[in-house]
Amino acid sequence: MRFFRAVALSAVTLALSGAHAADLLTLYRDAATQDPAVAAAQASLLAARERLNQAEAANGFAAGVNGAANSSYFDAHARGFPSATTDRGYLTASVSAYVNKPLIRPANFVAIEQAKASLTLFEVSLAAAQMDVASRLSQAYFDVLLAQDNLTLVQSQKAAVAEQLAQAKRNFEVGTATIVDTNEAQARYDQVIAQEIAANNEVERTRYALRNVVGRYETNLKRLRTNAQVPAPNPANMDAWVSRAENEAFGVRLAQQTLAIAEYDIKRAQTGKDWTLDASASVVHSQATGGPTSGVGTWANSGVIGVTFNWPFDISGGVNARIRETLALLDKNRNDLEAARRTAGLAVRQSYLGVTSGVASVAAQQQALKSAETLLASTKLGLEVGVRTNLDVLNAQQQVTQVQRDLALARYNTLLNDLRLKAATGVLTEDDLRATNAYLSD
C-alpha cells in the first residue's frame, strides 16, 4: 500500500512540475545569452570594428602640440685674454603646433578595405557561434531524453528479472526447480542492477553536459510527444542541399572571407614599392633670455607648410619576398576554401541521409510498437484465462518499453539530423528550433 501511495505522490509531483518543465527553445535563448563562445565572438567583433576605426584614422589628420624649456650654462675662456672670458646662464623655451595629412598612401587605403573584410569575417564568426550553440544544445537536450528512456527500459527489465527471481525461488522451495535456476535468475538480477546504476550515471552525465551549454542544471525537461511525426527534408533533393551548403555553409563563408583578407595582404605587400605624398604644416614660437654669445633676450615665430614625397626602392629584396609570401598564403587559403566546400558537402549528405533513413526508421518502429502492444494485450488476456503467467506479461511489457525507447531514439536521431542538415547548410535559425520544439509535450 505504501508503494502505491509513493507512486501516486510521485505522479502528482511530476504533473505539478511538468508545468515548469524546460523546453528546447527556452534553453536556447538562455544559452545564447551566456555562452562563452558567443561572448568571445561578440568581443572579437567589437575589436574588429575598432580596427576599422584605426585604419580609417591612419588616413586622416594628425595634429599635436610640442613644448620644451631648458636651462643652459655657458663658460668660455681664451688663453692670454682674460677680458674674453664668458660666464653666462640663460633660459630657452619653445612651443610648436603641427598638422599632418597623408595625401597619397596606397597602404592606408588597402588597410581600410582589409579591415572591412575582417569585420565581415567576425560577423560571420558570431553567427556561426550562435548556430553552434543551437546545435550543441539540441544534441545535449536529446541526449538527456535518450538517457532517461534507457533508464526507464532498464527499470522495466529490472521488474521482469525480479519477478523471474522470485518465481525461481518459489519453484525451488516447492521442489519444482533446482538451485541452478535460482542462481541464474540471481545473476541476471545482479546484472540488471549494474545496468541500472550505469543508466542512472548516464542520466547524470548528460544532464551535466546540458548544464555546460545552458549554464544551469536542469532535471525536468519536456519530452517528445508520442505522436510526433518528423517530416522529410524539403526540398527532397540532396544535390540542392549540397549546392547551397557549398556557398552558404558557415565554414565556407569563413574560408571565403579569410581568402578575401589574404588577397588584401598581397595588395598591402605590393604597396611597399609605391610612392607616397604627405602634407604637413607647423608653427613654432621660441624665447630665450640669452645665448652662448649674447646676453640679450630674444623671441621668434616661424611657420612651415609643405609636402613630403617618398619613393622607396626594394634594394634588399624584402618587399618582393613579402609579396611571394602572401601569394603562397593565398594559394593555401584557396585550398582551405575548397576543403571547406568538400567538408560542407559531406556533412550535408550524411545529415540528409540521416533524415531520410530516420523517417523510414520511425515508420518501421511505429509498426513494431503496434505489434508489441498487440502482443501485450493478448498476453494479458492469456493471463486472465490461465494460459499465460505474470512473468509473460512482464516480458511483453518490457518489449513494449524497449520498442518505445527505440522509436524515441529514431525520432531523436531524425530531429537531430534535420537540425544538423540545416546547420551544415548554414541556414539553421531560431525558427528551426521553434519547429523542433513543437514536437515536445506541452
Side-chain angles (χ1 to χ4, degrees):
M1 190 66 179
R2 291 180 180 175
F3 171 76
F4 290 108
R5 288 177 180 172
V7 171
L9 181 59
S10 299
V12 172
T13 303
L14 182 60
L16 291 175
S17 61
H20 304 288
D23 61 15
L24 185 65
L25 187 59
T26 301
L27 293 182
Y28 167 71
R29 289 171 177 169
D30 292 341
T33 59
Q34 56 80 45
D35 184 73
V38 174
Q42 290 173 334
S44 297
L45 178 59
L46 291 176
R49 287 171 178 162
E50 295 306 322
R51 282 194 292 272
L52 175 58
N53 291 335
Q54 295 173 44
E56 292 174 341
N59 210 39
F61 286 92
V65 176
N66 296 322
N70 300 289
S71 176
S72 303
Y73 177 73
F74 182 74
D75 184 8
H77 298 270
R79 290 188 177 90
F81 298 93
S83 60
T85 298
T86 301
D87 185 359
R88 179 181 301 109
Y90 59 93
L91 301 175
T92 60
S94 64
V95 60
S96 64
Y98 67 88
V99 176
N100 297 326
K101 174 66 171 72
L103 297 179
I104 300 175
R105 279 188 175 266
N108 288 1
F109 294 105
V110 175
I112 292 173
E113 296 304 316
Q114 188 177 39
K116 291 179 180 178
S118 180
L119 180 60
T120 302
L121 173 67
F122 285 103
E123 289 173 344
V124 175
S125 297
L126 176 57
Q130 292 170 335
M131 187 198 68
D132 184 61
V133 172
S135 298
R136 288 186 286 115
L137 174 65
S138 301
Q139 183 69 60
Y141 189 97
F142 287 116
D143 282 348
V144 173
L145 295 187
L146 177 60
Q148 293 176 165
D149 290 341
N150 285 331
L151 177 59
T152 300
L153 175 61
V154 172
Q155 289 172 339
S156 176
Q157 292 172 338
K158 176 183 174 182
V161 173
E163 179 62 25
Q164 289 175 347
L165 176 59
Q167 183 175 341
K169 289 180 178 180
R170 289 193 299 268
N171 292 339
F172 176 72
E173 291 173 356
V174 299
T176 59
T178 66
I179 191 63
V180 175
D181 296 327
T182 303
N183 291 338
E184 288 179 350
Q186 184 66 54
R188 287 194 297 269
Y189 182 77
D190 293 339
Q191 184 179 12
V192 81
I193 289 296
Q195 292 173 350
E196 184 182 29
I197 294 173
N200 272 309
N201 288 337
E202 180 64 11
V203 169
E204 288 301 304
R205 185 197 68 79
T206 54
R207 285 175 177 171
Y208 277 111
L210 179 62
R211 176 184 179 273
N212 194 51
V213 180
V214 181
R216 65 175 182 273
Y217 189 80
E218 289 286 348
T219 59
N220 191 15
L221 301 178
K222 288 187 177 181
R223 306 178 69 85
L224 196 64
R225 289 189 285 107
T226 56
N227 61 344
Q229 295 294 332
V230 183
N234 184 24
N237 185 328
M238 183 191 297
D239 291 336
W241 286 94
V242 171
S243 177
R244 187 170 185 179
E246 290 177 346
N247 292 285
E248 298 184 23
F250 280 110
V252 174
R253 291 167 61 187
L254 289 171
Q256 287 173 334
Q257 283 304 120
T258 303
L259 178 62
I261 293 172
E263 290 173 344
Y264 283 114
D265 279 335
I266 296 175
K267 294 179 180 179
R268 291 187 69 174
Q270 290 171 338
T271 60
K273 297 180 178 181
D274 293 337
W275 55 269
T276 62
L277 187 66
D278 299 332
S280 62
S282 64
V283 292
V284 180
H285 173 76
S286 59
Q287 293 186 8
T289 60
T293 59
S294 172
V296 179
T298 61
W299 63 269
N301 293 320
S302 62
V304 176
I305 185 171
V307 294
T308 302
F309 173 81
N310 180 49
W311 191 354
F313 295 99
D314 185 28
I315 298 176
S316 63
V319 175
N320 286 327
R322 173 59 181 160
I323 292 173
R324 291 193 297 271
E325 177 192 3
T326 54
L327 288 171
L329 291 175
L330 181 67
D331 188 54
K332 170 191 174 297
N333 288 314
R334 285 198 183 102
N335 286 285
D336 288 343
L337 175 58
E338 179 60 27
R341 284 181 172 143
R342 294 184 183 184
T343 300
L346 177 61
V348 164
R349 289 184 175 93
Q350 291 174 336
S351 299
Y352 184 91
L353 293 174
V355 177
T356 54
S357 64
V359 171
S361 178
V362 168
Q365 292 295 342
Q366 286 173 331
Q367 184 60 44
L369 180 59
K370 291 179 181 179
S371 299
E373 289 173 341
T374 301
L375 175 62
L376 176 60
S378 61
T379 304
K380 288 180 178 179
L381 181 60
L383 177 64
E384 293 175 358
V385 299
V387 297
R388 287 290 185 269
T389 65
N390 189 47
L391 180 58
D392 294 329
V393 175
L394 287 172
N395 288 333
Q397 180 62 59
Q398 178 185 342
Q399 184 174 350
V400 170
T401 303
Q402 181 168 352
V403 175
Q404 287 174 337
R405 191 284 309 266
D406 293 341
L407 174 58
L409 175 60
R411 283 175 171 150
Y412 298 155
N413 288 335
T414 306
L415 287 172
L416 284 172
N417 278 312
D418 181 64
L419 294 175
R420 292 189 189 111
L421 175 61
K422 293 170 182 175
T425 314
V427 297
L428 180 63
T429 64
E430 185 174 315
D431 290 337
D432 297 308
L433 289 182
R434 185 178 294 106
T436 302
N437 199 65
Y439 295 116
L440 302 178
S441 59
D442 295 330

